[in-house]
Amino acid sequence: MASLNMKMKKRDNYGAEPDKKKLAMAGIRHQLLLLLRRRHRLFPLVSAFSGCLLLLLLFSLSFPPVIHRSPLGRKNQVAVESKLLVPENGGRSDRHLWSSKLSNSYYGCSNASGTFQVLDKTSQTGRYLLIATSGGLNQQRTGIIDAVVAAYILNATLVIPKLDQNSYWKDISNFEEIFDADWFISHLSKDVKIIKELPKGEESRLIGLQSIRVPRKCTPSCYLQRVLPLLKKKHVVQLSKFDYRLANQLDTELQKLRCRVNYHAVRYTQTINKMGQILVDRMRTKAKHFVALHLRFEPDMLAFSGCYYGGGQKERLELGAMRRRWKTLHAANPDKVREHGRCPLTPEEIGLMLRGLGFGREVHLYVASGEVYGGDATLAPLRALFPNLHTKETLTSKKELAPFARFSSRMAALDFIVCDESDAFVTNNNGNMARILAGRSRRYMGHKVTIRPNAKKLHKIFTNRHNMTWDEFSTKVRKYQTGFMGEPDEMKAGEGEFHENPTSCICGKKKANEQLKEDEHDSWPWEYSDIGNVPMATRSGLDHQSEVDHQN
């Protein structure tokens, strides 16, 4: 009995309890003692049963109940974790959220210089280049861009590229159903001759035509050695799996041709552009500024990454089976992949990062995404942080979206347009769409805010966020995101993919004497190879280049 009283006394002293609770517990102890003293007068079974019930009740009152917080938490705070309370307004910010401080200091400049070999001086008859692109919409876009440059190098007529209809997405759309083919042909008419299909007299050459695949990052000399001899012999050559099949680093004039294709010649059909603009307008009616997030949390993306998100055996089996489609991928260690910053952030982590940067709960967020792995449950934490969350499906009726809904490329094009027009763009994975948007509207068109998660550093604070206050967490987010916010000086010339960092096509607004020096640079004497359009500097041009390099 003394032992039982001692245990109860210790339990009573555990934490401060309300007066009512103490009184209830005292009453229960009193009843229990009476039962024990009078047990010889009661039936043993009744006595034991009653004692058990009272003990259970006593046990339940001795420990505080587990409280499951609502995602909305307190009146002015969102309780994401028990120790991390997110302020309603996102907290303070060290920078302007909706613009880049240097955005007015640069402009896109992709016009050819006076030395660029124009079409009427280089056109060859009897050389036709066919291109079969590969991958999703934006991966195919890179192939279309490089196809024009390859045709220019080879002095060939380009037949409008064939889109990939056999990829994971199974989209049967052709070029003219996605892009404005007439505009594409006419806008590049001074650079490369482009036709919609082979002339009737050349169609017989398609019989027995074999496709060839050039190496990735093939240089201009690589094309002249591998493709040109065959083109001269066969007159028609088809290059297959054409994605990233042209070197990243090219002569300035060829890089500017890339920019003219990407930023001016490739544009969507009127139908797609019209629907895309409707989406943008509906976002603008909701808020003056909005954030667009390219979520990239689709099953195929997660499978390709080799990451694990806590879904147990079900997730491992589903994503593992999908990952085996890529035969070149090896088994991945999910923990190491995440530590190295190669895992897409979860929707909740993206939301926490944005709030840490200072974006408040009232901000309107457009989510560009296909099928999100885990569905609405996966998006719920992000929606709790940003209730004004929109997608193309929520902004339109089923009838409006019907002409696009069955075609993944057309749906991706709509997302591209909204992201392109957004005030701040967030990429969750540095894939093809993110790179092209970063180069296009975020650099070439004016250096708009582009947020790339520094996943390697952010991983550390996401893992330990339970032990941080909000001020500690947000301070570290802002620190780690320095250099990942889309400022013009974040990437050096030649760093990364050219589609993401088109430095050859971005000019600074300089004083008159500085601009004169730049004009002199553009007028260096160039000679062109007699077998293809490959600019080669003359001796005097190389001497000039050497002097400039030495001075720098």
Side-chain angles (χ1 to χ4, degrees), residues 39 123 164 177 350 365 408 428 440 457 466 480 517 552:
R39 64 184 183 275
S123 58
D164 186 354
E177 290 172 315
I350 286 284
L365 181 67
S408 62
N428 193 21
R440 175 186 163 81
K457 292 287 185 69
H466 310 285
Y480 293 156
K517 290 181 180 180
N552 292 337

Side-chain angles (χ1 to χ4, degrees), residues 179-232:
F179 303 106
D180 187 335
D182 293 329
W183 171 261
F184 181 71
I185 292 170
S186 63
H187 192 81
L188 295 169
S189 59
K190 292 183 179 179
D191 298 317
V192 173
K193 185 176 181 181
I194 304 174
I195 57 178
K196 292 184 179 180
E197 55 188 17
L198 278 176
K200 290 185 178 180
E202 302 291 341
E203 289 177 343
S204 60
R205 298 183 185 276
L206 294 175
I207 301 173
L209 179 68
Q210 292 184 340
S211 297
I212 64 171
R213 191 182 303 180
V214 295
R216 283 182 175 269
K217 309 297 183 183
C218 193
T219 63
S221 60
C222 165
Y223 276 90
L224 297 180
Q225 293 170 7
R226 289 173 176 263
V227 183
L228 187 60
L230 190 61
L231 191 59
K232 287 181 174 180

Side-chain angles (χ1 to χ4, degrees), residues 228-247:
L228 187 60
L230 190 61
L231 191 59
K232 287 181 174 180
K233 180 180 179 181
K234 301 283 189 178
H235 299 284
V236 178
V237 169
Q238 175 168 289
L239 304 181
S240 63
K241 285 281 183 181
F242 201 79
D243 59 332
Y244 294 98
R245 302 290 168 177
L246 183 61

Side-chain angles (χ1 to χ4, degrees), residues 197-396:
E197 55 188 17
L198 278 176
K200 290 185 178 180
E202 302 291 341
E203 289 177 343
S204 60
R205 298 183 185 276
L206 294 175
I207 301 173
L209 179 68
Q210 292 184 340
S211 297
I212 64 171
R213 191 182 303 180
V214 295
R216 283 182 175 269
K217 309 297 183 183
C218 193
T219 63
S221 60
C222 165
Y223 276 90
L224 297 180
Q225 293 170 7
R226 289 173 176 263
V227 183
L228 187 60
L230 190 61
L231 191 59
K232 287 181 174 180
K233 180 180 179 181
K234 301 283 189 178
H235 299 284
V236 178
V237 169
Q238 175 168 289
L239 304 181
S240 63
K241 285 281 183 181
F242 201 79
D243 59 332
Y244 294 98
R245 302 290 168 177
L246 183 61
N248 194 46
Q249 301 296 326
L250 296 174
D251 164 78
T252 298
E253 290 299 331
L254 295 181
Q255 298 289 51
K256 287 192 172 187
L257 175 56
R258 261 178 168 162
C259 293
R260 290 198 293 279
V261 181
N262 193 7
Y263 308 135
H264 299 284
V266 176
R267 72 182 189 186
Y268 297 118
T269 62
Q270 184 178 356
T271 303
I272 291 174
N273 270 326
K274 183 179 178 180
M275 189 70 245
Q277 193 57 51
I278 288 173
L279 292 170
V280 172
D281 292 343
R282 289 178 184 175
M283 287 299 297
R284 292 286 180 214
T285 60
K286 297 178 181 298
K288 181 179 179 181
H289 302 293
F290 72 91
V291 176
L293 164 63
H294 188 215
L295 186 57
R296 288 308 272 132
F297 213 73
E298 296 92 344
D300 65 297
M301 181 65 228
L302 303 188
F304 186 84
S305 70
C307 302
Y308 174 66
Y309 290 92
Q313 190 67 4
K314 180 176 182 291
E315 178 186 325
R316 291 190 178 95
L317 290 174
E318 289 177 347
L319 300 186
M322 196 173 290
R323 183 176 172 83
R324 285 193 288 273
R325 292 191 303 105
W326 292 282
K327 296 180 181 179
T328 57
L329 294 181
H330 302 293
N333 182 324
D335 293 333
K336 287 188 176 180
V337 175
R338 188 173 294 279
E339 287 173 7
H340 287 106
R342 294 198 295 268
C343 287
L345 302 187
T346 66
E348 180 183 29
E349 289 170 341
I350 286 284
L352 287 170
M353 178 194 71
L354 289 175
R355 296 298 290 273
L357 290 171
F359 290 93
R361 188 170 183 268
E362 77 288 350
V363 166
H364 284 258
L365 181 67
Y366 179 89
V367 177
S369 178
E371 174 196 0
V372 175
Y373 187 68
D376 290 339
T378 302
L379 285 176
L382 177 62
R383 197 183 298 275
L385 291 162
F386 291 95
N388 299 313
L389 187 149
H390 312 279
T391 65
K392 51 189 175 295
E393 289 82 5
T394 64
L395 291 171
T396 59

